[in-house]
Amino acid sequence: MTKSRILPRLIVSDPDRASAFYREVLGAEEVFRAPGDDGRPTVVELRLGGFSFRVSPAVAAWGWVSPRDLGGSPVLLEVEVDNPDEVGERMTAHGAEVVVAIENRPYGKRSGRIRDPFDHLWIITGEPTLDDIQAD
């Protein structure tokens, strides 16, 4: 069997800014960068936990369009973190917008939905703390 892996690639307006955003708010680590002829990256690979994802600039000639170009994103990314509230607060402090507030859900998770500054949609989820459960 051959080795395979899926590397989601988020198309963004500014890969440098996106890389900085995901490193700052999610704690991702930049592990690869391929500069284009103009010095701007054509791809930046980020690692979060044991998984990787990439960001690349919108290039219409290649068919790479951002959610903003399409009027929204059909893809919903989900990240499980130790403290969803803290991650959500960092995201909004860096230009993201709350779509659905992070709160305890009836299915036993604490989660909410955030639109990042590049119009990608994220579910930020984690386990509720004992304090969260007692407060409900």
Side-chain angles (χ1 to χ4, degrees):
M1 183 146 115
T2 60
K3 179 181 174 184
S4 301
R5 66 182 184 148
I6 293 176
L7 292 166
R9 188 176 298 211
L10 306 180
I11 304 302
V12 297
S13 56
D14 184 339
D16 287 318
R17 199 172 120 224
S19 176
F21 177 83
Y22 298 128
R23 287 183 318 217
E24 179 69 27
V25 303
L26 297 176
E29 174 190 5
E30 188 174 305
V31 295
F32 175 77
R33 171 179 287 262
D37 294 338
D38 62 0
R40 284 184 45 180
T42 58
V43 63
V44 177
E45 185 172 334
L46 299 149
R47 186 166 317 228
L48 181 61
F51 298 93
S52 295
F53 66 99
R54 294 177 172 185
V55 294
S56 288
V59 180
W62 298 348
W64 293 5
V65 293
S66 73
R68 191 164 294 146
D69 298 329
L70 297 171
S73 175
V75 175
L76 184 58
L77 303 154
E78 186 167 349
V79 61
E80 190 170 336
V81 296
D82 289 334
N83 189 329
D85 296 281
E86 184 179 287
V87 171
E89 288 167 10
R90 275 199 313 267
M91 290 180 89
T92 57
H94 286 85
E97 121 185 44
V98 174
V99 176
V100 176
I102 295 172
E103 57 189 35
N104 290 339
R105 303 292 169 191
Y107 45 83
K109 293 286 187 179
R110 185 163 185 83
S111 67
R113 285 131 192 104
I114 307 282
R115 179 177 292 111
D116 73 21
F118 314 98
D119 286 336
H120 290 282
L121 296 170
W122 294 80
I123 294 176
I124 310 301
T125 189
E127 298 296 326
T129 65
L130 186 55
D131 291 341
D132 294 332
I133 294 168
Q134 290 173 348
D136 286 345

